[in-house]
Amino acid sequence: MTAPASGDSTTHEKSPFPLPEGWVWGVAGSAHQTEGNNDANDWWRFEHEEGTGAVEPSGIACDSWNRWEEDLDLVKGAGLDSYRTSLEWSRIEPAEGEFSAPALAHYRRMLEGTRQRGLTATLALHHFTLPLWLADQGGWESPRAVEFFARYCATVVESLGDLIDIVLTINEPNVVAMTGYLDGRFPPRVSGAPERWAHVTHTLVAAHVAAREILKRESPHIRVGLALAIPDIIFHPDGQWAPDGMHMSELPTAGPGAEFAAMTLGVFLKAARDDDFIGANTYDSQHMGPDGNPLPTPDGERITQMGWTYAPEAVGYSVRLAAHETGRPVIITENGVGTENDEERIEYLQRALASVARALADGIEIHGYYVWSLIDNFEWTDGYRPKFGLVAVDRTTMERRPKPSLAWYASVVAASRADSSRV
Ligand code: BGC
C-alpha cells in the first residue's frame, strides 16, 4: 500500500481559494468507526441486540487500533496538515474510576506518531459511544454524567494534553440527544421523549463547558470547541419541495422551524460563543415545510447512499450560520458524501470547496476543512455499506487502497499551497 505523494498525484487542480493564514487541510475518522473490537461501549451492545436496526456489528472495524500508522502515513502521504479522530472513553476508563495505563500509552504512541509526521492532532473526546458502566447508570441522564465526563477529560489532558492541538469535546451532541431520545435510532433507543431530550441536551452543554474549562486550564495551547451537525435547512413556506428556498443561515432566528432549531442547534451554538472555534459537520440540505416538518425528497432528485439530498453547496450555508450565531471562527470538521462512485465524490468535494470559497470571499472566518472520511469505515446503523472514504478498505485483508479522490484532494492541497506561497 502506498499513498500518493502530494507531488506525484496525477490530477493537477487549481487552488479553490487563497489560503487564509493558519488554514488546516484535514481528513477525519473516529475511534469506534475505525479501531475495531471496542466491546466495552453502548454501541457494541446495541449492534449485537435484536431489533435495533443496526445492520451489522462493527467487529474489527478497520483494525485501526493496530494499523494507525498506516492511516497516518496516508494522511502524510497526501500532504495534508491534520488527522482528526477520537479517543475511545471505554478503552481509557473501562470500569468506573479505573483508568487504563495501556490504553493511554497506546494513544500517546499514536499522538507521537502524529507529531512525528508533522501533522496536527485533532481529537474528539466523545464521538457517539459511552462506556457500558456509564450507559448502565443512565448514560447522559445519569445525575453524575457531567462529573464523570469531566474526570475522564482531566485524565486525558493530564496524560496526553502536550500532544494534542485541537479538541472537539463532544462530536455532534445535537445528534446524540435527538437520535437517543427523540427518534430512538441510536442508543439508548428512546423515542418520543421530548422532556428527556431537552434534559440530555442541557447535560451535554454542561459537559462541554466543564470539559472546556479543564482543558483551557490545564493545557491552554489546545484549541477547544465542539462539532455540531449543521445541515443546510431550507424552508418552503408553501409546502412545495424545490431545490432552493429560504436557507436557515439567511434567517437564523425566524422561520417555522425556529423553535426546533433552537433546541437542536441554538443552545449549542450559544455555548460555543466562549469556545475557540465552532466545528461544523455538514453533509446535506434538509427541506422543511411551513409546519417545521421535513418535506420528503421527490422521486428523481439526486440522493446519496445515505438517502440524503446530494447537496455539495450545503456547507457554504452552514458555515455562515455557524459564524453568525457564534461570532467564532469556523472549522469545517466533517464534509463528504456516501457514494460508491468516486467521481461523484470528487464532484461533491469540488463543489463544496467552491461554496467555501464564496463564504470566505464574503468575509466568513473559516480556519480549516476536514473531509469525512479518510477510510471507508463503520457507518453506525448502516454498517459497512456506505462509502465515505478517500481510501477503500479490503474487508477481508484490511488493506488500504487509495481511491482517485485521495490523489485529487492531495492535488488541491498542493495547488493551494503553491498559490499561497506566490502571494
Ligand atoms: C458523524 C460521523 C458519521 C458521518 C456520516 C456524522 O454525523 O459524526 O460519525 O460517519 O456523520 O454519517
Side-chain angles (χ1 to χ4, degrees):
M1 189 271 330
T2 44
S6 50
D8 50 55
S9 47
T10 44
T11 44
H12 296 284
E13 293 297 318
K14 290 202 189 105
S15 176
F17 38 76
L19 284 192
E21 209 179 314
W23 179 269
V24 176
W25 286 116
V27 71
S30 86
H32 190 69
Q33 293 176 274
T34 61
E35 283 179 350
N37 295 324
N38 282 338
D39 58 5
N41 71 36
D42 56 347
W43 262 90
W44 183 273
R45 180 162 65 192
F46 170 91
E47 290 154 26
H48 290 86
E49 271 167 10
E50 286 295 314
T52 59
V55 299
E56 58 187 321
S58 52
I60 192 175
C62 306
D63 195 28
S64 291
W65 183 259
N66 299 308
R67 294 169 191 260
W68 57 268
E69 288 179 285
E70 283 179 53
D71 296 344
L72 289 177
D73 285 344
L74 286 161
V75 183
K76 169 84 180 150
L80 306 182
D81 300 307
S82 180
Y83 184 49
R84 173 194 160 187
T85 184
S86 63
L87 299 179
E88 176 59 31
W89 185 356
S90 66
R91 283 191 187 264
I92 291 178
E93 190 179 359
E96 184 184 330
E98 289 175 23
F99 290 90
S100 160
L104 286 164
H106 168 92
Y107 285 125
R108 201 163 172 89
R109 282 192 298 278
M110 190 180 88
L111 289 167
E112 280 165 357
T114 308
R115 193 149 279 188
Q116 278 155 13
R117 288 167 180 79
L119 300 170
T120 301
T122 298
L123 286 181
L125 302 185
H126 178 272
H127 194 128
F128 290 178
T129 57
L130 279 179
L132 275 176
W133 60 262
L134 177 52
D136 289 341
Q137 294 180 44
W140 290 112
E141 286 185 294
S142 157
R144 299 184 63 193
V146 174
E147 176 200 333
F148 288 139
F149 186 62
R151 182 175 62 183
Y152 152 68
C153 293
T155 305
V156 165
V157 77
E158 189 190 326
S159 310
L160 309 171
D162 55 321
L163 295 172
I164 306 174
D165 301 290
I166 300 176
V167 159
L168 308 169
T169 55
I170 302 176
N171 177 71
E172 298 189 348
N174 51 343
V175 169
V176 171
M178 189 160 30
T179 55
Y181 297 90
L182 269 193
D183 64 31
R185 287 188 301 117
F186 285 6
R189 292 176 65 200
V190 177
S191 55
E195 282 169 18
R196 293 170 73 181
W197 169 56
H199 174 73
V200 165
T201 294
H202 292 297
T203 302
L204 288 162
V205 169
H208 165 67
V209 171
R212 180 183 65 210
E213 279 169 12
I214 291 165
L215 289 156
K216 294 309 283 186
R217 190 178 62 230
E218 303 301 326
S219 282
H221 70 274
I222 299 178
R223 295 175 72 198
V224 181
L226 43 71
L228 285 179
I230 313 185
D232 163 35
I233 293 181
I234 305 181
F235 293 115
H236 302 280
D238 60 0
Q240 296 300 309
W241 195 100
D244 210 354
M246 295 194 305
H247 297 262
M248 192 164 74
S249 55
E250 287 154 1
L251 18 122
T253 50
E259 206 179 313
F260 181 74
M263 272 305 285
T264 53
L265 274 176
V267 289
F268 296 110
L269 289 167
K270 197 165 160 214
R273 287 179 194 162
D274 293 320
D275 291 353
D276 293 320
F277 64 90
I278 172 74
N281 294 355
T282 303
Y283 292 90
D284 62 343
S285 296
Q286 295 177 8
H287 298 258
M288 281 183 155
D291 52 3
N293 285 325
L295 293 176
T297 311
D299 287 347
E301 284 301 321
R302 200 166 163 191
I303 55 168
T304 72
Q305 271 186 315
M306 301 296 284
W308 303 339
T309 55
Y310 183 84
E313 285 78 18
V315 68
Y317 291 100
S318 70
V319 290
R320 289 167 204 265
L321 177 83
H324 288 149
E325 292 294 298
T326 62
R328 305 310 301 146
V330 183
I331 299 180
I332 298 158
T333 35
E334 289 181 26
N335 183 235
V337 60
T339 178
E340 284 287 351
N341 178 348
D342 201 49
E343 279 173 29
E344 183 171 64
R345 184 181 338 278
I346 292 173
E347 180 205 332
Y348 181 100
L349 296 175
Q350 204 155 29
R351 284 171 54 184
L353 287 175
S355 79
V356 172
R358 289 191 288 277
L360 282 166
D362 288 344
I364 305 295
E365 196 182 343
I366 308 173
H367 285 187
Y369 178 84
Y370 288 77
V371 172
W372 184 273
S373 53
L374 173 65
I375 51 180
D376 288 336
N377 60 44
F378 179 68
E379 183 48 43
W380 307 109
T381 45
D382 291 290
Y384 292 100
R385 183 188 55 89
K387 304 285 191 284
F388 281 89
L390 301 174
V391 177
V393 175
D394 182 309
R395 298 273 345 124
T396 310
T397 63
M398 294 292 135
E399 188 196 339
R400 274 67 170 147
R401 297 189 182 141
K403 304 178 192 176
S405 53
L406 182 68
W408 171 84
Y409 189 36
S411 180
V412 168
V413 170
S416 72
R417 296 228 182 83
D419 283 7
S420 299
S421 66
R422 276 200 290 276
V423 177

